[in-house]
Amino acid sequence: MITATRLTTAGATVTVLSNATEVTAWSQRYFGQWWNAEPVDPTTVGDAEPVVIADLDPAAYEEITLLVHDGRPTEDATFARYPLLTAGDGEDLIATSPEEGVAYRSASAGQRLVLAGTDTQLLALAAARLAREAIRGQLLRDGWAVLHSSAVVRPEDGATLLTFGDKGAGKTTTAMLLASHGWQLLANDRVLVRPTGERDVEVVPWPSAAALGLGLLHSLGWDVEAREHLRSGGSFHPTQHDSVTEALLAGDHTPLWENAKRERKVQVFPDQFPQLFGVPLATGGRAAGLLFPQIDADAAPDITDGTRTLGEADFMSGTTEDRYPDVFGQAQGVDGGGRESARAEVAARLAELPHRAVRLSHDIPASAEVLIKATLTI
């Protein structure tokens, strides 16, 4: 039986179809409220609309993989950290990802993607990623840009705070603290933005699993809910390392390191924020201010005199996008961070908004108090 889930946000749409109900159910859950994910009748899906067809079909996987390896010119690529081998087949692009057990065929300039997989969960993950890229491609062509930022929304008026910083600066901490104190969570790591009207910048979410360190989860008081969720048979995003799950079950919030720079973290589904932690989600907003946090574990939290402004690295452009390059041409040549004109206009408008630099620490109540104080004038 074929099932379908349609995603819609900011005028962009894509439909995921599959012979495995788990695949479309995954997209419905993963994008949910943020991107208005709904089941639809597959017979109503038109030939001209953007689609991702993801079937559990080992024979088709083998067929496409053999085509890639039949002596035609190939290129190596990486998408979502999985190595791909790509090749041309007439006007189509074909690719195979042995680590995922997924093969790809991209047609109609990336508007029609066919995936054939050998494992249901890996196929569901791949289909969701490509559906998200289909939405991004449409929005980029429509004048949107992508910022490397977390975001929260004030529910009374839609005012949105964008938080910027290098890895470890506190983007996620800032978003979670404010979302625990009356703001709605819009994004953990990226947002889509577009200039609207004469001065506004519209913001919509980029759905993704949120990576929360064990220490942060404990400091927020969410580790108890997480542990009970696991003990009752629940789970978190499958990209979560087993050692993190074991630490949660044991009540151990000591940070776990994969190497000197990469911490293993709890991987939270978007829908688990309201369900487990009581954090409401927002579906859009209007940029109202910029926050630039820096974590200093031993210093007193405070509003500081930082002069940080936006730079090229704050946009997920072709020079900074390392996880989701446009391998399948879904943006049709538009830079992954948006057209240069769109990025420049967004940057100019955001430069006119209030900027606040804040120092945070491991003292969560004091850090939350400083953040709330910083938002009072925005």
Side-chain angles (χ1 to χ4, degrees):
M1 181 181 71
I2 303 299
T3 57
T5 293
R6 180 169 289 140
L7 318 176
T8 305
T9 186
T13 184
V14 65
T15 303
V16 179
L17 299 101
S18 180
N19 64 357
T21 57
E22 297 91 340
V23 172
T24 52
W26 181 280
S27 285
Q28 185 177 347
R29 178 190 183 185
Y30 194 76
F31 298 106
Q33 174 186 342
W34 265 341
W35 274 8
N36 190 30
E38 304 182 310
V40 295
D41 182 348
T43 64
T44 66
V45 180
D47 293 337
E49 66 178 283
V51 294
V52 173
I53 302 170
D55 284 340
L56 192 64
D57 190 339
Y61 166 75
E62 292 292 340
E63 180 182 348
I64 296 174
T65 298
L66 287 172
L67 278 176
V68 174
H69 287 284
D70 73 352
R72 65 191 69 204
T74 59
E75 292 185 8
D76 292 316
T78 301
F79 186 81
R81 299 197 176 99
Y82 286 104
L84 293 173
L85 187 64
T86 69
D89 187 38
E91 295 184 354
D92 294 354
L93 175 73
I94 55 176
T96 184
S97 173
E99 288 189 20
E100 296 174 287
V102 178
Y104 302 82
R105 179 178 290 276
S106 174
S108 302
Q111 293 294 93
R112 180 182 178 87
L113 277 150
V114 177
L115 284 63
T118 60
D119 178 88
T120 303
Q121 186 173 88
L122 289 172
L123 179 64
L125 284 163
R129 286 192 293 263
L130 270 298
R132 186 172 58 193
E133 288 304 300
I135 293 284
R136 169 156 72 163
Q138 293 173 58
L139 293 179
L140 293 178
R141 300 196 304 272
D142 197 32
W144 291 76
V146 184
L147 287 172
H148 188 199
S149 164
S150 67
V152 292
V153 176
R154 189 162 55 203
E156 308 93 81
D157 58 4
T160 302
L161 294 177
L162 302 170
T163 302
F164 297 89
D166 297 331
K167 187 176 181 64
K171 294 190 300 295
T172 297
T173 298
T174 297
M176 298 306 154
L177 286 176
L178 288 173
S180 301
H181 288 79
W183 293 72
Q184 297 173 331
L185 181 64
L186 184 76
N188 171 63
D189 188 60
R190 305 180 187 203
V191 290
L192 289 145
V193 289
R194 179 178 67 173
T196 57
E198 293 185 1
R199 297 193 303 173
D200 286 344
V201 174
E202 184 180 359
V203 188
V204 297
W206 167 282
S208 67
L212 307 183
L214 288 165
L216 175 60
L217 198 78
H218 174 70
S219 297
L220 290 166
W222 295 352
D223 54 330
V224 175
E225 289 83 355
R227 183 163 55 254
E228 291 307 311
H229 174 66
L230 291 172
R231 286 177 174 172
S232 64
S235 62
F236 289 98
H237 195 278
T239 55
Q240 179 170 299
H241 197 274
D242 289 345
S243 62
V244 176
T245 302
E246 292 166 3
L248 282 173
L249 287 169
D252 184 357
H253 51 85
T254 306
L256 297 171
W257 296 93
E258 186 169 318
N259 52 50
K261 295 183 178 180
R262 183 176 178 82
E263 184 182 356
R264 290 174 176 168
K265 298 182 178 182
V266 182
Q267 303 290 330
V268 182
F269 276 104
D271 68 347
Q272 289 177 326
F273 280 107
Q275 291 175 3
L276 293 181
F277 307 131
V279 171
L281 303 180
T283 58
R286 170 189 50 80
L290 282 62
L291 293 173
F292 299 96
Q294 191 62 52
I295 293 181
D296 185 334
D298 301 319
D302 201 0
I303 300 173
T304 64
D305 297 325
T307 57
R308 167 85 150 79
T309 57
L310 292 190
E312 181 63 26
D314 293 309
F315 289 87
M316 299 305 300
S317 67
T319 58
T320 57
E321 175 63 275
D322 59 349
R323 294 188 64 187
Y324 308 108
D326 192 20
V327 175
F328 298 101
Q330 291 167 292
Q332 298 179 14
V334 179
D335 184 274
R339 291 188 176 93
E340 185 176 350
S341 58
R343 300 199 306 267
E345 182 61 24
V346 166
R349 294 188 182 199
L350 293 181
E352 299 298 318
L353 299 178
H355 291 42
R356 299 287 184 270
V358 293
R359 182 175 60 239
L360 307 178
S361 76
H362 290 173
D363 184 337
I364 291 299
S367 294
E369 184 177 344
V370 163
L371 285 171
I372 293 169
K373 180 180 178 181
T375 66
L376 292 178
T377 55
I378 295 176

